[in-house]
Amino acid sequence: MIIYNITIKVATGIHPQWMHWMREVQIPAMMETGLFHDYRMCRLLEQDDSEGPTYAIQYFTDSMENYNTFMAEHSGTMRQRGYEMFGDQFIAFGTVMQAI
């Protein structure tokens, strides 16, 4: 199994709106690509939350082919939606892992 993990630090001022957007728009859009079969959203603990909370959102897929298809066909659009909604009020980076 391949896990596409996105770690995001969200500014305190947009946190409620961002959380609503993630749950109602962004995560459903990711799942609607048909390339991921499940996801998990976690809040990181023992972090400095003075500027806002940090989350890890993990999307699960069965193959690197699905991940590569997502990156080629969808990732740019998904990332742009976040910047259009929230500008520079968040920092995000992605990593790819393999469950062993």
Side-chain angles (χ1 to χ4, degrees):
M1 175 172 31
I2 303 299
I3 304 164
Y4 177 39
N5 182 81
I6 304 171
T7 304
I8 306 170
K9 182 157 193 77
V10 181
T12 303
I14 65 159
H15 182 244
Q17 298 91 343
W18 178 86
M19 182 64 77
H20 176 78
W21 178 76
M22 284 301 295
R23 288 183 173 155
E24 301 298 322
V25 178
Q26 189 73 343
I27 290 172
M30 291 284 286
M31 299 306 293
E32 286 172 8
T33 67
L35 298 167
F36 302 101
H37 59 78
D38 202 1
Y39 74 93
R40 176 180 305 146
M41 184 175 189
C42 305
R43 184 170 179 169
L44 277 65
L45 303 178
E46 298 184 348
Q47 298 292 309
D48 178 3
D49 284 352
S50 61
E51 295 180 13
T54 303
Y55 292 90
I57 303 151
Q58 299 177 335
Y59 298 97
F60 302 95
T61 188
D62 294 324
S63 69
M64 279 301 293
E65 181 180 348
N66 284 350
Y67 167 76
N68 289 332
T69 298
F70 171 78
M71 294 305 289
E73 297 179 10
H74 302 282
S75 68
T77 301
M78 297 289 187
R79 185 176 17 251
Q80 187 60 34
R81 287 180 188 166
Y83 289 117
E84 288 172 2
M85 288 292 301
F86 303 107
D88 64 354
Q89 299 295 300
F90 70 97
I91 299 169
F93 67 91
T95 52
V96 181
M97 302 176 282
Q98 181 179 30
I100 54 172

